[in-house]
Every structure is written in C-alpha cells, then in structure tokens.
C-alpha cells in the first residue's frame, strides 16, 4: 500500500520546528519539505544547517519523503538536488519550469544527469503552464499560458517519451488534471504500469473554479483540502493507486493558507486528515 504523508507547505509562514511538531501531532510520520520561491514554503535551503534540520525531524519522529522546489532556475534546482541528497531525501519535485521545447532540450537533461549521479529522482508535476509569479494564487497569468508544457495526460506521455531516463517520473496533481478534464485514475494506471508514478498529491479544488479564467487560483485553502463535499471522491483514486501496486507517497497538500494563524492551519488539516483516512478505509487501505 502507498504511504500517506503530508506537505509542510500549508505552514509556509511558520518556523520549521513548529510546523513539524504540528504535523507530528496530527499523526504523520513522513513530510515533504519545501525549498521554493515566495509565496511558497522555503523551510530548507542550500547553505542551511543540515544537522539541525535532521535533528528537528528526528525530534518529531518524522522522515523527509520529498523536497519541492518551484520557481527556481536550473542552477538553483541543481543545488537543491544536492540538498536532497545530503538530507537523504530520494525525490525532488518541480514543474515544467520553462517552455516545453526548452525544458526537454536544455533545462531538464543536465539535471537528470546530476540526479542520477546523486541517486535522487526528479518528479515533474503535471501543472498548468502559467508562468510562475509571486501572486500566482490570485489567478494572474492565465492569459500568458504556454501552448506547450506538462499539464495534460498527452503532454505527460510526451515528456516521458521525449526523455526516457530512469530518474525521471511524474508527481501527479489531481486538481491540475481536473482543470484539464482528465481522468485521474487513467493517469494513475498509465504511469504505474510504466513505473513512472513517483509522487502523488492528495489535493482538491474549489467547486467555484472557472476554467480558462482562474488560472492557478484553486480557491481558499479550506476549499483545496480534501473534504466530503469536495470536487473529488478521493477513495476512487486511492483504490486505483492500491490496484496499481503503488507503494510511493500520497501527500496531503493545499495552497491558500497565507495569513492563517497556526491554530487554523492545524484545525483545517485535522478535518481533511479525518476525511482522507475515511477514504483510505473505503479504498481498502
């Protein structure tokens, strides 16, 4: 069975030790750390005190299961591959950080070589091809979407065909697939049978989302968290993950928590966690 974990992302304005303590208190034993551009979480970064980070994880009974680094250039991602290696993290997550032809011909190949040298996997997220900006959560940039990226299942297939590399796989993000009118279970099956599903986000989207208008504004944080009245019945993809024999990470995630007090973040995550665990039971996990 896959491993149910959590992202540190919702606590992006909270100190790492505090965030880890809250996630541990919710019952998680694995966490994906973030090293991304603002307004996203950047709890760990190249040059940080790595023994102190490792000690904080141990203190709260947590293992780092991934490192996400959005909004970074090629050199910055290379530094974070090394950071992941040094923290004994096996998977680094980012999206298509350049227009697709450049991404597959120039941006990604040297990073894959470095990842292979370090023994780290790269999981490219299927992500709407809206250029990264500090105010992306407001939905800006929809009009500047690239015509070629890695957002649809067809484009996922193209990436894996264009760059056949043992260290390259996909981080599957259900809301982005939903925006593209794609089947999550179909994507799970396609990637699993090829051994290319490296990471899975447990994440939802606001019913009020308007395709072609709202861009990366998936709604307030509480509407992005899995919930009984959400867009997705998460028991269905969980069952697909189990049938496929997926043993990787399925990690609880949301954006949209900027300005929330610590108590609210934890309260909303606790509610989502209870629903997710019920979905896991229904899926046979």
């Amino acid at each position: 069975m896959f491993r149910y974990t959590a992202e540190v992302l919702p606590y992006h304005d909270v100190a790492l030790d505090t965030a880890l303590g809250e996630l541990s208190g919710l019952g998680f034993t694995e966490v994906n750390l973030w090293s991304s551009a603002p307004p996203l979480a950047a709890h760990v970064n190249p040059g940080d005190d790595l023994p102190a980070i490792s000690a904080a994880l141990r203190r709260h009974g947590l293992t780092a299961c991934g490192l996400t680094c959005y909004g970074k250039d090629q050199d910055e991602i290379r530094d974070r591959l090394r950071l992941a290696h040094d923290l004994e993290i096996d998977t680094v997550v980012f999206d298509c950080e350049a227009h697709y032809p450049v991404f597959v011909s120039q941006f990604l190949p040297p990073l894959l070589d470095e990842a292979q040298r370090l023994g780290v996997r790269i999981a490219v997220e299927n992500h709407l091809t809206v250029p990264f900006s500090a105010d992306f959560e407001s939905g800006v940039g929809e009009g500047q979407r690239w015509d070629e990226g890695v957002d649809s299942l067809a484009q996922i297939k193209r990436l894996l065909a264009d760059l056949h590399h043992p260290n390259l796989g996909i981080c599957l993000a259900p809301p982005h697939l939903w925006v593209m009118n794609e089947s999550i279970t179909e994507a799970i099956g396609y990637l699993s049978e090829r051994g290319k599903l490296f990471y899975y986000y447990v994440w939802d989207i606001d019913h009020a989302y308007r395709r072609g208008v709202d861009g990366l504004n998936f709604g307030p944080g509480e509407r992005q968290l899995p919930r009984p009245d959400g867009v997705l019945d998460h028991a269905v993809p969980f069952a697909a993950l189990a049938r496929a024999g997926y043993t990787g990470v399925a990690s609880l995630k949301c954006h949209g928590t900027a300005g929330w007090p610590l108590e609210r973040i934890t309260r909303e995550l606790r509610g989502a966690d209870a629903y997710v665990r019920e979905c896991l039971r229904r899926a046979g996990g």
Side-chain angles (χ1 to χ4, degrees):
M1 189 65 175
F2 56 88
R3 294 135 52 207
Y4 173 44
T5 70
E7 305 290 298
V8 76
L9 170 63
Y11 293 100
H12 55 72
D13 296 326
V14 176
L16 177 63
D17 190 72
T18 301
L20 296 180
E22 295 293 297
L23 291 172
S24 177
L26 289 171
F28 290 101
T29 59
E30 295 186 69
V31 59
N32 181 14
L33 301 177
W34 281 56
S35 184
S36 296
L40 300 175
H43 287 102
V44 299
N45 292 288
D48 285 354
D49 185 343
L50 300 190
I53 295 169
S54 297
L57 289 164
R58 287 194 302 272
R59 184 163 54 251
H60 296 291
L62 291 164
T63 300
C65 61
L67 179 69
T68 293
C69 48
Y70 294 131
K72 298 297 181 181
D73 63 28
Q74 188 182 58
D75 288 338
E76 291 170 328
I77 292 177
R78 183 181 290 107
D79 290 341
R80 282 156 178 79
L81 290 171
R82 295 167 184 157
L83 175 63
H85 170 269
D86 292 344
L87 287 172
E88 299 182 341
I89 296 172
D90 68 359
T91 304
V92 171
V93 179
F94 53 90
D95 65 354
C96 186
E97 298 284 347
H99 193 227
Y100 183 82
V102 175
F103 187 64
V104 296
S105 65
Q106 301 175 34
F107 193 97
L108 198 49
L111 294 177
L112 287 169
D113 291 342
E114 180 70 357
Q116 187 171 34
R117 186 185 71 82
L118 294 169
V120 175
R121 307 185 306 172
I122 290 176
V124 174
E125 182 191 353
N126 61 289
H127 196 285
L128 300 184
T129 53
V130 177
F132 184 88
S133 65
D135 54 353
F136 77 90
E137 290 181 322
S138 69
V140 300
E142 175 66 15
Q144 288 75 51
R145 281 181 66 175
W146 300 326
D147 58 345
E148 292 184 275
V150 184
D151 51 15
S152 68
L153 180 54
Q155 290 174 337
I156 290 171
K157 293 177 179 179
R158 179 177 60 166
L159 172 66
L160 297 176
D162 287 348
L163 285 176
H164 182 69
H165 194 285
N167 292 66
L168 175 63
I170 298 296
C171 169
L172 206 58
H176 290 282
L177 287 174
W178 181 88
V179 169
M180 299 299 294
N181 279 312
E182 300 279 10
S183 165
I184 298 165
T185 54
E186 181 182 355
I188 288 171
Y190 178 87
L191 292 169
S192 296
E193 69 184 20
R194 290 158 176 80
K196 290 298 184 180
L197 182 56
F198 281 8
Y199 206 93
Y200 182 86
Y201 282 143
V202 183
W203 185 17
D204 214 312
I205 192 168
D206 195 342
H207 280 285
Y209 183 89
R210 299 166 296 172
R211 292 181 175 91
V213 176
D214 287 334
L216 294 174
N217 180 6
F218 287 179
E222 68 273 18
R223 308 308 294 172
Q224 295 186 34
L225 285 168
R227 58 200 186 278
D229 63 343
V231 168
L232 302 173
D233 178 354
H234 292 266
V236 176
F238 287 166
L241 290 169
R243 287 194 305 272
Y246 177 62
T247 57
V249 162
S251 196
L252 182 63
K253 175 187 178 180
C254 75
H255 295 280
T257 60
W260 286 14
L262 177 67
E263 295 77 10
R264 183 183 178 190
I265 299 171
T266 300
R267 182 175 67 250
E268 295 288 353
L269 286 176
R270 182 177 292 110
D273 174 65
Y275 165 70
V276 169
R277 293 184 188 276
E278 173 58 29
C279 289
L280 288 169
R281 284 190 289 272
R282 287 197 284 126

